[in-house]
Amino acid sequence: MAERVSLALNTTTTTMASSLRTQVSASRLLRFSSSGSKLSFPSSSLSFTRSLVSSPLLSQKRCQAALVNRSFSSAATTHCTAATDPEQLKSAREDIKELLNTKFCHPILVRLGWHDAGTYNKNISEWPQRGGANGSLRYEIELKHAANAGLVNALNLIKHIKDMYSGISYADLFQLASATAIEEAGGPKIPMKYGRVDTSGPHECPEEGRLPDAGPPSPANHLREVFYRMGLDDKDIVALSGAHTLGRSRPERSGWGKPETKYTKEGPGAPGGQSWTPEWLKFDNSYFTEIKEKRDEDLLVLPTDAAIFEDPSFKVYAEKYAADQDAFFKDYAESHAKLSNLGAKFNPPEGTCDF
């Protein structure tokens, strides 16, 4: 697979690259420290479950998460963060690209942005009670939600980037990481905007139960219930489902999938899990072609995946995307951008255009 980049780097090249990154990081820190902006973190501890859906809490992982939190958050946040610094966004994007190239973490960064935004309820007008892309996912009470289990790893991965760029809100950083991961995996350019304001504390987190489940009794109805609540439609549901072309499901976390397959036993990254597609770090339309054919037992098909070819309305879009990758990319980019803005409060109100 083209994406399985060798990790055996020349020692001299690695040393030179590390030195260069250190110099660049120091330069950025000096440049941005002159603005006088200060970095603030949430006051609550991060505590996580290991289950994506319904696995029991693992005390060992809660202890690990608590240790992570002591390094990730150290001071109380007393105000909402205002506008994000565009120059810092540009530099942070380059650091995210480097992270993706070395850690192969595209899927979990996509999930981080989606789960922060996916709590939006169009029937609630008040911010931040309506949920959405507001950075609240960094707080313990929301991270304990079963659907958010494992996202401690995503927060660990971007911690050093948040440390460097205090002029970027958590809400913007989560969405920047998600969109960049799609693009760097070969997906379409996402028409993003920035300037999302952060929530001020855990009391502003949404209640549990707003995110989709993988195996509900009526998969198509469940998907509509969740995504219609966000103001999205059938096209959005099917297009966004196509992001499962990236990533794996691990049974020890979610209760779904195999411990390993011929596609995942050697990584890249930590080996194991079951993927939806053979090249699970490549963004293309293979999710639709593989789900349609259902020929390979080493590839995962969740009940909600099967629903997109079983429900008559969903199937129209699924068939279209299986046959036409360009059509999928176009619709996916629109739906991803729409999702990333749900519930957000921007400063300035119109947001800052992508760069």
Side-chain angles (χ1 to χ4, degrees):
M1 148 189 339
E3 287 66 34
R4 298 189 177 187
V5 182
S6 172
L7 297 180
L9 300 176
N10 177 272
T11 303
T12 302
T13 303
T14 302
T15 303
M16 292 175 64
S18 176
S19 176
L20 178 58
R21 286 195 298 271
T22 301
Q23 294 177 39
V24 171
S25 297
S27 174
R28 288 171 179 164
L29 284 169
L30 287 172
R31 183 169 74 252
F32 296 131
S33 65
S34 65
S35 66
S37 58
K38 297 181 179 180
L39 180 61
S40 61
F41 294 95
S43 58
S44 61
S45 299
L46 300 184
S47 175
F48 304 86
T49 65
R50 286 285 288 162
S51 164
L52 283 174
V53 182
S54 59
S55 299
L57 297 176
L58 301 179
S59 59
Q60 180 180 0
K61 293 301 177 183
R62 289 201 298 269
C63 292
Q64 178 187 359
L67 290 173
V68 169
N69 174 59
R70 284 197 285 273
S71 66
F72 194 82
S73 57
S74 58
T77 301
T78 57
H79 312 301
C80 290
T81 303
T84 283
D85 185 327
E87 291 303 313
Q88 291 196 24
L89 277 170
K90 292 178 183 178
S91 295
R93 173 179 280 174
E94 295 307 309
D95 288 329
I96 291 169
K97 289 180 180 179
E98 181 178 347
L99 180 69
L100 293 165
N101 288 333
T102 56
K103 299 296 185 181
F104 311 104
C105 54
H106 306 67
I108 200 169
L109 294 188
V110 173
R111 181 169 165 246
L112 177 67
W114 279 31
H115 282 214
D116 194 46
T119 59
Y120 176 62
N121 187 337
K122 69 177 183 179
N123 300 311
I124 301 174
S125 59
E126 296 82 7
W127 183 94
Q129 291 88 340
R130 64 194 182 209
N134 57 30
S136 65
L137 186 50
R138 70 196 191 273
Y139 292 111
E140 175 186 3
I141 190 172
E142 188 171 344
L143 284 161
K144 278 185 173 180
H145 297 177
N148 293 328
L151 286 176
V152 59
N153 298 315
L155 292 172
N156 267 335
L157 287 165
I158 64 171
K159 177 190 178 298
H160 71 287
I161 299 175
K162 186 68 177 82
D163 288 347
M164 288 175 62
Y165 305 112
S166 61
I168 301 177
S169 67
Y170 282 97
D172 271 353
L173 182 60
F174 293 168
Q175 299 308 321
L176 174 66
S178 183
T180 303
I182 293 292
E183 294 165 11
E184 290 298 295
K189 172 73 175 175
I190 312 297
M192 300 289 288
K193 67 176 183 177
Y194 297 97
R196 295 170 187 80
V197 174
D198 279 339
T199 51
S200 63
H203 62 287
E204 294 180 329
C205 291
E207 73 280 0
E208 186 166 8
R210 295 195 186 185
L211 295 171
D213 192 357
S218 179
N221 289 341
H222 174 71
L223 288 172
R224 287 194 174 95
E225 178 183 353
V226 172
F227 285 89
Y228 283 13
R229 188 209 67 225
M230 299 183 211
L232 303 178
D233 58 23
D234 286 0
K235 182 176 76 170
D236 295 316
I237 292 171
V238 180
L240 291 170
S241 294
H244 274 158
T245 190
L246 299 177
R248 302 165 285 177
S249 177
R250 295 181 180 274
E252 69 272 17
R253 298 182 184 179
S254 67
W256 295 97
K258 298 179 178 180
E260 71 173 25
T261 70
K262 62 190 175 187
Y263 301 117
T264 66
K265 64 182 180 180
E266 296 179 357
Q274 186 174 15
S275 59
W276 286 263
T277 63
E279 295 184 84
W280 48 269
L281 286 176
K282 179 181 180 181
F283 194 95
D284 57 18
N285 69 334
S286 61
Y287 167 81
F288 298 103
T289 59
E290 296 293 347
I291 297 295
K292 181 179 180 179
E293 298 297 332
K294 296 183 182 179
R295 293 178 299 187
D296 194 332
E297 63 180 13
D298 269 350
L299 296 179
L300 182 63
V301 181
L302 296 171
T304 45
D305 298 319
I308 68 168
F309 276 101
E310 294 170 353
D311 179 89
S313 177
F314 289 164
K315 186 176 181 179
V316 172
Y317 298 106
E319 292 280 5
K320 176 182 178 182
Y321 299 152
D324 188 343
Q325 181 168 284
D326 289 341
F328 167 52
F329 275 27
K330 177 181 179 296
D331 288 353
Y332 178 84
E334 293 173 357
S335 295
H336 185 124
K338 190 188 301 185
L339 175 66
S340 75
N341 294 334
L342 293 180
K345 180 167 76 172
F346 288 90
N347 185 5
E350 68 276 9
T352 301
C353 291
D354 200 0
F355 37 86

